[in-house]
Amino acid sequence: MIKPENFITDRASVAINALYGADMDKSALQVQVTRKEFEGDYTLVVFPLLKVSKSTPENTGKAIGEWLMANCPEISAYNVVKGFLNISFSTVYWNGIFSWIASAEDFGQHEPTGKTIMVEFSSPNTNKPLHLGHIRNNLLGWSVSKLLEANGHKVLKVNLVNDRGIHICKSMLAWLKKGNGETPESSGKKGDHLVGDYYVAFNDMYKAEVDELVAGGMSKEEAEKNAPSLKEAQEMLYRWEHGDKEVVDLWKKMNGWVYEGFDKTYSDLGISFDRTYYESQTYLFGKALVQKGLDMGIFERETDGSVWCDLTADGLDRKLLLRGDGTSVYITQDLGTAEQRFEEYSLDEHIYVVGNEQNYHFQVLKLILKKLGFAWADSIYHLSYGMVELPQGKMKSREGTVVDADDLIEKMYNTAKETSLELGKLENMDEKEQDELFRMIGLGALKYFIIKVDPKKTMLFDPKESIDFNGNTGPFIQYTHARIKSILRKAAASGIGYGPESVNPEVALSPKEVRIIKILNQFPDKIAEGGEAHSPAIIANYAYDLAKEFNQYYHDTPVLKEEDRALLCCRLVLVDCIAKVLVKAMSILGISLPERM
Ligand code: ARG
């Protein structure tokens, strides 16, 4: 099936040849969707043609419009406004598009491109559980991956666990001092929560020490550097990097608890990875690159042994790459991890889904990799996103008032349950089915509400609003799908058979139906546009528009009441196509749609 835009450029170039005896390169012809204020489906921009027509924009537009009307049965009307030729397609044409959509195997899916894209997301530290910010991260990472797959790319979804560093040592130290051997089994706590509690305990301990030193006359700044527990944590990190068995064993044990906890959260959220990288296994590659940079003369070593990269000539700062005691910092591992990944898979693009507080970090990372001579550094894309807040106020991770991911997922289930029971929309389901539905609605609400917002924007997540069955929400789209499925079930129960073959050019489509076909027809382009922009929000809002369109249509057109069998079948195919596009669009967002609700 050729796209309407291409259909027009094709025929217009024939018209230009017939009218003016000139060969116009098709790529020089500009076609766009007609703006709402004008009559028409697509618009051909006439200005570039004036050099061959040697006439006014008005007359050129008219001549081509007339030619198209006389020679293309697919075109039903035209009008010219200034230098724009607005063209309308006939219902016969839209019927053809409809038939193409109805018979497509996986409508919207693009052909394989042969490109490989790595998407890194989630990437937690192991000193505390996942929070609301990680939820936005995970949902974005997952949906961008699915969106790129729908564009025909091969996608590798990877996680990077920052499993080493001073932050983990802090949790470990507090556990040693105050834990009395507590384990997830002994306490019944999820492992990541248990370790997170000791991170909070460390901070309490540390603060008390700082206060005491300040009370004893030390300046705050000095006290913050010299508090004994911080010194101990630093010593622990040093021992870890030197393979001290006792420290390494404790580290393994506590990280193991954390991974069990993370796995549960990921599975509750419905996400998974093709591969997980651990900083502890890649930071040494980073150290090797630091050495390489020193050898190349692009890094410098200070007298205290620390290594730096001076980026001031590029308008950035001097960046620390290795501490004086030789231990590595956050960016050290990123250098090594990037090299490892590009070497192992020949990546066409590497996307990092990380919050906007790290914009600078990724700017620096790219620049240093370039200085190290890696051409692929330009294929790195930082998919940066803004903070999510709950109505009550900001999440503050260090103070222990984080919005915990597990708590939020649970809360969504409960809110979905409450709302559904209130509305009584449960069509005699047994308990197991109800339970599945509440989970689907709760997660659908959470995912949709977060993904529909442009990633760059800071956003407020309101659980109650996200579940509103009548708003721009996941549950509204889920409900629309269930509604269509109920129509199709009723048709099947009355023995009405329909399929792509029910669509034929003789059936007279209403303007509303033509409108729906046009919207369905945009789906592959929306996928392309969303992929280009790395923005699943485009798919979310498209799905909402389509669902809204169906509800209006169904309100005016009670599909099953139609007496003309051919028309009835055609309409069933149309609503079936809507359901299929909704399923595909929502699956890109990681949202399941129920058969009934
Ligand atoms: N673990 C880091 C944090 O929680 C994020 C890691 C992002 N990924 C990366 N390759 N640097 O802040």
Side-chain angles (χ1 to χ4, degrees):
M1 189 71 214
I2 73 166
K3 287 171 53 168
E5 291 91 332
N6 298 345
F7 180 90
I8 293 176
T9 51
D10 252 32
R11 299 306 142 100
S13 72
V14 178
I16 292 159
N17 191 288
L19 293 166
Y20 309 115
D23 274 330
M24 271 293 273
D25 186 21
K26 268 184 244 163
S27 62
L29 299 174
Q30 289 172 37
V31 177
Q32 44 195 246
V33 174
T34 303
R35 301 233 308 264
K36 271 204 207 75
E37 358 18 321
F38 302 112
E39 178 88 33
D41 296 321
Y42 290 88
T43 298
L44 177 71
V45 186
V46 177
F47 297 109
L49 314 177
L50 303 184
K51 42 181 192 306
V52 299
S53 74
K54 308 215 164 42
S55 174
T56 61
E58 273 289 323
N59 287 337
T60 309
K62 262 200 193 132
I64 297 172
E66 281 304 322
W67 189 94
L68 292 174
M69 288 285 285
N71 294 284
C72 312
E74 295 86 353
I75 287 169
S76 60
Y78 79 92
N79 63 79
V80 183
V81 179
K82 305 241 165 66
F84 298 94
L85 169 61
N86 303 319
I87 297 163
S88 301
F89 282 104
S90 66
T91 37
V92 177
Y93 177 80
W94 290 117
N95 246 321
I97 294 275
F98 181 18
S99 156
W100 166 67
I101 295 173
S103 24
E105 195 57 58
D106 183 8
F107 182 63
Q109 178 65 39
H110 289 242
E111 294 296 317
T113 59
K115 282 194 179 164
T116 304
I117 302 180
M118 181 172 282
V119 183
E120 186 209 280
F121 61 102
S122 205
S123 304
N125 296 340
T126 54
N127 60 326
K128 52 190 173 195
L130 305 183
H131 55 67
L132 182 52
H134 288 112
I135 289 196
R136 189 173 198 187
N137 182 313
N138 292 336
L139 299 182
L140 265 175
W142 180 267
S143 55
V144 155
S145 301
K146 293 288 144 189
L147 181 52
L148 294 170
E149 278 172 5
N151 274 285
H153 307 308
K154 179 173 169 8
V155 177
L156 293 162
K157 303 186 295 304
V158 305
N159 192 356
L160 169 82
V161 184
N162 289 115
D163 60 343
R164 47 134 265 128
I166 191 76
H167 45 294
I168 288 98
C169 292
K170 290 177 180 175
S171 293
M172 283 156 58
L173 191 73
W175 185 84
L176 277 180
K177 286 187 187 285
K178 316 210 160 200
N180 295 320
E182 186 183 13
T183 66
E185 292 76 46
S186 76
S187 62
K189 273 190 203 164
K190 204 164 157 269
D192 50 336
H193 287 262
L194 183 110
V195 173
D197 289 348
Y198 283 100
Y199 187 67
V200 174
F202 173 89
N203 280 319
D204 293 344
M205 194 161 75
Y206 171 70
K207 257 192 226 140
E209 288 170 6
V210 170
D211 288 347
E212 210 183 299
L213 290 174
V214 170
M218 201 183 267
S219 76
K220 188 151 193 263
E221 204 187 324
E222 278 299 298
E224 279 172 352
K225 271 193 226 147
N226 290 307
S229 56
L230 181 64
K231 294 253 170 213
E232 275 180 87
Q234 281 163 346
E235 198 186 299
M236 212 173 197
L237 178 61
Y238 184 87
R239 283 170 64 195
W240 182 90
E241 284 209 12
H242 288 81
D244 181 306
K245 183 164 171 5
E246 209 179 313
V247 175
V248 170
D249 283 348
L250 175 62
W251 170 80
K252 278 192 188 147
K253 176 161 76 181
M254 290 181 72
N255 272 348
W257 297 340
V258 173
Y259 299 146
E260 264 173 41
F262 284 170
D263 284 349
K264 165 97 173 66
T265 310
Y266 289 143
S267 124
D268 285 350
L269 213 49
I271 67 167
S272 58
F273 301 93
D274 299 311
R275 180 159 172 189
T276 298
Y277 290 86
Y278 297 89
E279 177 178 349
S280 58
Q281 292 164 16
T282 63
Y283 80 106
L284 291 176
F285 299 125
K287 282 189 162 185
L289 278 182
V290 171
Q291 189 53 50
K292 180 177 168 189
L294 282 169
D295 297 343
M296 288 167 74
I298 53 171
F299 301 160
E300 54 211 20
R301 196 188 288 277
E302 300 244 304
T303 44
D304 70 349
S306 57
V307 179
W308 300 74
C309 183
D310 189 355
L311 301 170
T312 46
D314 301 279
L316 306 176
D317 290 330
R318 281 186 83 226
K319 179 77 191 169
L320 175 72
L321 300 178
L322 220 50
R323 293 194 191 92
D325 66 0
T327 58
S328 55
V329 291
Y330 177 49
I331 202 166
T332 322
Q333 54 75 37
D334 258 331
L335 295 168
T337 317
E339 185 192 26
Q340 188 200 20
R341 290 172 181 174
F342 274 95
E343 297 232 307
E344 184 167 354
Y345 307 99
S346 43
L347 301 176
D348 294 282
E349 189 180 10
H350 186 347
I351 299 174
Y352 290 85
V353 183
V354 183
N356 59 12
E357 71 280 0
Q358 293 193 27
N359 287 355
Y360 186 72
H361 171 79
F362 281 96
Q363 213 183 334
V364 169
L365 178 66
K366 262 181 100 151
L367 188 57
I368 296 183
L369 288 168
K370 258 197 216 178
K371 287 190 187 288
L372 283 165
F374 297 119
W376 44 254
D378 280 323
S379 316
I380 288 179
Y381 179 82
H382 174 205
L383 175 47
S384 161
Y385 60 89
M387 174 139 169
V388 207
E389 290 166 22
L390 280 190
Q392 299 92 285
K394 291 190 182 187
M395 6 180 290
K396 298 195 197 83
S397 64
R398 272 158 225 275
E399 275 72 21
T401 53
V402 228
V403 180
D404 178 72
D406 298 321
D407 289 350
L408 186 62
I409 294 170
E410 194 57 34
K411 182 179 167 66
M412 292 312 294
Y413 172 89
N414 291 330
T415 314
K417 184 171 178 176
E418 249 167 58
T419 314
S420 307
L421 292 175
E422 250 167 49
L423 293 171
K425 291 184 172 165
L426 296 169
E427 273 189 30
N428 324 319
M429 290 180 191
D430 63 33
E431 237 172 75
K432 188 167 166 285
E433 267 178 291
Q434 286 193 15
D435 184 67
E436 267 167 30
L437 183 65
F438 300 150
R439 210 159 285 287
M440 210 188 270
I441 297 175
L443 268 185
L446 174 66
K447 292 181 176 185
Y448 184 86
F449 206 79
I450 288 182
I451 298 173
K452 76 171 175 177
V453 180
D454 179 86
K456 301 261 175 304
K457 290 194 181 132
T458 296
M459 67 168 295
L460 196 70
F461 177 71
D462 185 338
K464 198 92 202 148
E465 192 189 328
S466 77
I467 260 174
D468 182 353
F469 284 56
N470 295 309
N472 181 0
T473 64
F476 167 71
I477 297 168
Q478 290 174 319
Y479 181 57
T480 302
H481 178 260
R483 238 179 144 185
I484 297 176
K485 285 299 177 155
S486 147
I487 298 171
L488 298 177
R489 273 194 303 275
K490 282 183 192 141
S494 328
I496 304 168
Y498 61 91
E501 67 290 347
S502 315
V503 181
N504 72 67
E506 260 84 273
V507 173
L509 297 170
S510 71
K512 270 235 161 77
E513 284 156 349
V514 171
R515 219 180 116 80
I516 292 177
I517 292 165
K518 287 182 190 171
I519 296 175
L520 290 172
N521 184 51
Q522 290 167 5
F523 188 42
D525 291 344
K526 289 285 173 185
I527 288 181
E529 187 189 331
E532 276 306 308
H534 300 99
S535 175
I538 290 174
I539 304 302
N541 289 294
Y542 168 78
Y544 173 63
D545 288 341
L546 179 61
K548 225 171 31 182
E549 204 65 44
F550 165 78
N551 283 291
Q552 278 166 16
Y553 169 66
Y554 190 53
H555 180 263
D556 306 337
T557 320
V559 174
L560 289 168
K561 296 217 177 92
E562 179 54 53
E563 281 169 10
D564 177 322
R565 184 52 84 97
L567 186 55
L568 168 63
C569 289
C570 219
R571 288 184 173 161
L572 290 170
V573 177
L574 184 67
V575 298
D576 192 21
C577 286
I578 298 175
K580 287 189 176 125
V581 167
L582 289 178
V583 168
K584 172 100 182 165
M586 297 302 266
S587 82
I588 290 175
L589 311 186
I591 299 173
S592 315
L593 299 182
E595 292 296 306
R596 48 185 102 225
M597 90 186 236

